[in-house]
Amino acid sequence: VLSQENDFQTWTSVSASKKIIKKTNLIVKQGARFRENSSMYSKLFTDIKIKRKYNKHFSFAAGYRHSTDWNKKQDLENKNRFYVDFTYRKKLNRFNFSIRNRLLKQGLKDDYEDIFRQKFSTNYNIRKTKLEPSLAFEYFYSLEKIIKKLRFTGGMTYPILKDLDFELAYRIQQEFNTNNPETLFILDGKMSYNF
């Protein structure tokens, strides 16, 4: 018998991006996630990456994330993630399309897992307004040749100041190929600043 778990979560993050050399940015992100109907800590993380724009269509990034996760018994687990991104962007009229391919290795101490993530996203620049809606779809594929998760996201970005943006999104995440797959309903709030 397979059981299904549902949970409403809140994910929050703040990030800052600084140009360090031509076409290359350092990005630091701090995040917190809450589970059990957003009543308990799930994860705290710090993510650091260097992103380089190759041309107007292609960019590359390499990063590291350290997270402190609380498991179901509320025990702490310190996890590491190493990743590289390859992103393709295309602008068509007022639409922006992107495909991000991410290879990552994450886990605890000596127990690491390799995952490939591919994310398709689009946003639309609405004429005569600062609001920018977006849609995204992402899948997580393990080296055991199985899909582990799917994510569907709809969001809205608003520039608070010239270099400060706020994004509010709603995400549904579905797990697969596990004994107790979770379906998460996630409210995601992000603040990002560009120096």
Side-chain angles (χ1 to χ4, degrees):
V1 176
L2 293 177
S3 62
Q4 174 72 49
E5 294 185 29
N6 296 330
D7 189 21
F8 173 73
Q9 297 193 359
T10 304
W11 295 4
T12 60
S13 66
V14 292
S15 65
S17 177
K18 172 71 174 169
K19 183 177 180 178
I20 51 177
I21 58 174
K22 186 177 180 181
K23 295 185 177 182
T24 305
N25 284 37
L26 174 67
I27 302 160
V28 178
K29 183 177 185 180
Q30 184 68 45
R33 296 180 180 177
F34 301 87
R35 62 182 171 84
E36 305 296 331
N37 292 320
S38 299
S39 65
M40 300 171 69
Y41 270 118
S42 172
K43 182 187 300 263
L44 290 174
F45 68 86
T46 302
D47 190 294
I48 300 169
K49 73 177 171 182
I50 293 178
K51 183 176 181 180
R52 180 160 178 83
K53 196 172 182 180
Y54 181 72
N55 59 31
K56 69 178 184 177
H57 295 297
F58 291 98
S59 64
F60 309 94
Y64 168 75
R65 173 181 288 190
H66 177 268
S67 67
T68 302
D69 296 12
W70 283 262
N71 65 19
K72 298 288 184 184
K73 297 176 182 176
Q74 285 295 292
D75 296 325
L76 291 177
E77 299 175 333
N78 289 303
K79 293 185 179 179
N80 297 300
R81 174 187 292 177
F82 305 91
Y83 62 91
V84 291
D85 292 346
F86 306 93
T87 304
Y88 173 78
R89 296 183 189 281
K90 174 74 175 172
K91 186 172 182 178
L92 185 62
N93 297 323
R94 302 184 74 80
F95 285 95
N96 287 302
F97 300 95
S98 72
I99 300 171
R100 186 197 69 195
N101 298 298
R102 173 172 284 180
L103 295 168
L104 66 87
K105 182 179 277 291
Q106 68 180 7
L108 297 159
K109 297 179 184 175
D110 298 327
D111 184 22
Y112 282 87
E113 179 180 25
D114 296 308
I115 296 187
F116 173 74
R117 293 168 56 174
Q118 190 169 52
K119 181 179 181 181
F120 302 88
S121 58
T122 183
N123 57 359
Y124 181 73
N125 185 285
I126 300 174
R127 199 179 300 273
K128 297 182 180 179
T129 180
K130 294 180 179 181
L131 291 173
E132 193 169 285
S134 62
L135 292 173
F137 166 75
E138 183 175 14
Y139 67 89
F140 295 62
Y141 187 75
S142 78
L143 292 185
E144 291 91 39
K145 298 184 179 177
I146 58 171
I147 291 181
K148 297 183 68 82
K149 295 180 198 174
L150 295 178
R151 280 185 183 167
F152 304 91
T153 306
M156 190 75 68
T157 303
Y158 183 80
I160 298 172
L161 300 170
K162 181 183 175 185
D163 297 321
L164 182 66
D165 291 342
F166 176 72
E167 181 183 355
L168 188 63
Y170 185 74
R171 178 175 297 123
I172 298 173
Q173 177 176 289
Q174 175 66 57
E175 274 188 321
F176 295 96
N177 298 302
T178 184
N179 289 336
N180 294 321
E182 283 186 320
T183 300
L184 304 181
F185 304 94
I186 302 155
L187 184 63
D188 190 359
K190 299 177 183 176
M191 192 85 71
S192 57
Y193 182 73
N194 292 306
F195 287 93

